[in-house]
Amino acid sequence: MADTIPANISPLYPLANAKGTDLLCELCQKPAFIQCSKCRVTYYCGPEHQRADWIGIHAKICDELAVLRKPVPFLTSEKDRREKREELIQQQLRMIVITRTTGQKLLFENHFEEAVPAALQSLKFAIDVHGSSSVELVPSYLILGEASIGLQRLSQAEEYLSQAQWTVLKTDNPSNAIKSQLHRNLGLLFSALKAITVAPWRTSQLISSMPQTNTAQRTSACPVATSAWRIFSCTRTSRRLPMTCLDG
Ligand SMILES: [Zn+2]
Ligand SMILES: [Zn+2]
């Protein structure tokens, strides 16, 4: 993996942007002032987040993002539009695999900070393809949760795992693999909370409310899930994207 950044940061000139266009940092969603000069479709609030993203995932996907984010040409035929949509979905599915594999590899190597940009990117692609409440988002939440535990950001970890748990609870027949991974991560959180003797009863509650066969436990409006988005409160815009301040 590249651990140094090539000279690919170019300044972003506000007057060069269309009036009313908000360019936001890829990681924290604050207003952007620089861009990746290689793909020219990814923006950052400053060099610190550009570097974090480059090391975490961007070096691997810069070229593909340039293709994915370029404006779609106007297509007159319905058949062409359908084929273009299908092609886009296939590209996004491939990106989900690349970003998740990268995030999991970084977790395995205990590079928790570096795993966050890859996991956030995978979450964004998963939302684009599957929608914001699909169980397909859970693997990304689990990577984010485990990275947060590794970084000792336990309240943030609880938010991510609560979001994962809420999504699993309202899914019909979630896979055993997803449920066991969620149990594992909740166990990690429990151990981390226990180690610092902070309210282990809270995580016990989370574990005891894991989905069983009783569908009556499911809920369509979980206040815990709603509060999970508080971790993105660093966002200054109204866009509700899954972003977090890497600075903690
Ligand atoms: Zn930023
Ligand atoms: Zn780039």
Side-chain angles (χ1 to χ4, degrees):
M1 174 180 305
D3 56 0
T4 56
I5 304 175
N8 64 345
I9 304 176
S10 62
L12 195 65
Y13 300 106
L15 291 177
N17 303 327
K19 196 172 181 181
T21 301
D22 290 327
L23 297 176
L24 304 176
C25 175
E26 188 76 1
L27 291 190
C28 69
Q29 293 291 289
K30 290 179 182 176
F33 297 98
I34 59 174
Q35 69 182 147
C36 172
S37 60
K38 193 160 174 243
C39 63
R40 293 191 173 274
V41 292
T42 311
Y43 307 95
Y44 301 97
C45 60
E48 191 179 333
H49 279 183
Q50 199 268 350
R51 178 180 174 77
D53 194 34
W54 181 267
I55 292 172
I57 188 64
H58 194 75
K60 286 185 188 302
I61 62 173
C62 180
D63 292 339
E64 295 217 42
L65 284 180
V67 176
L68 268 170
R69 291 178 174 173
K70 75 178 178 190
V72 180
F74 179 72
L75 301 170
T76 52
S77 145
E78 174 58 30
K79 176 173 172 287
D80 289 346
R81 286 196 291 271
R82 193 170 55 245
E83 287 176 357
K84 188 69 189 169
R85 273 198 302 273
E86 183 55 35
E87 182 189 333
L88 178 65
I89 289 172
Q90 291 306 319
Q91 286 174 325
Q92 289 171 320
L93 287 171
R94 200 166 57 248
M95 296 295 273
I96 291 172
V97 173
I98 293 170
T99 50
R100 277 194 188 146
T101 304
T102 301
Q104 282 160 345
K105 178 173 178 289
L106 289 166
L107 273 189
F108 185 73
E109 296 168 347
N110 291 338
H111 294 147
F112 303 115
E113 191 87 54
E114 289 90 335
V116 173
L120 285 174
Q121 200 66 253
S122 75
L123 184 59
K124 280 202 291 185
F125 282 118
I127 290 172
D128 285 346
V129 174
H130 302 291
S132 60
S133 58
S134 168
V135 73
E136 299 293 337
L137 276 53
V138 171
S140 297
Y141 288 132
L142 294 179
I143 297 172
L144 288 164
E146 190 170 342
S148 300
I149 293 168
L151 293 165
Q152 289 296 303
R153 296 171 188 165
L154 300 187
S155 61
Q156 196 172 43
E158 186 175 337
E159 300 269 20
Y160 282 126
L161 296 183
S162 295
Q163 186 73 37
Q165 185 189 38
W166 175 69
T167 306
V168 168
L169 279 169
K170 66 187 199 58
T171 299
D172 287 325
N173 301 317
S175 72
N176 286 333
I178 280 289
K179 285 193 289 186
S180 73
Q181 286 167 25
L182 180 54
H183 271 293
R184 174 187 168 276
N185 280 26
L186 288 170
L188 288 175
L189 178 60
F190 175 75
S191 299
L193 287 169
K194 201 174 173 187
I196 58 171
T197 63
V198 174
W201 58 270
R202 179 71 190 90
T203 310
S204 298
Q205 278 188 331
L206 286 171
I207 291 175
S208 65
S209 62
M210 273 296 296
Q212 307 298 323
T213 53
N214 180 8
T215 54
Q217 289 181 337
R218 293 180 190 147
T219 173
S220 59
C222 173
V224 175
T226 307
S227 70
W229 295 95
R230 282 201 312 259
I231 59 177
F232 310 125
S233 60
C234 57
T235 301
R236 289 179 181 166
T237 72
S238 60
R239 290 178 64 189
R240 203 178 180 207
L241 283 175
M243 292 289 106
T244 185
C245 284
L246 289 183
D247 307 337

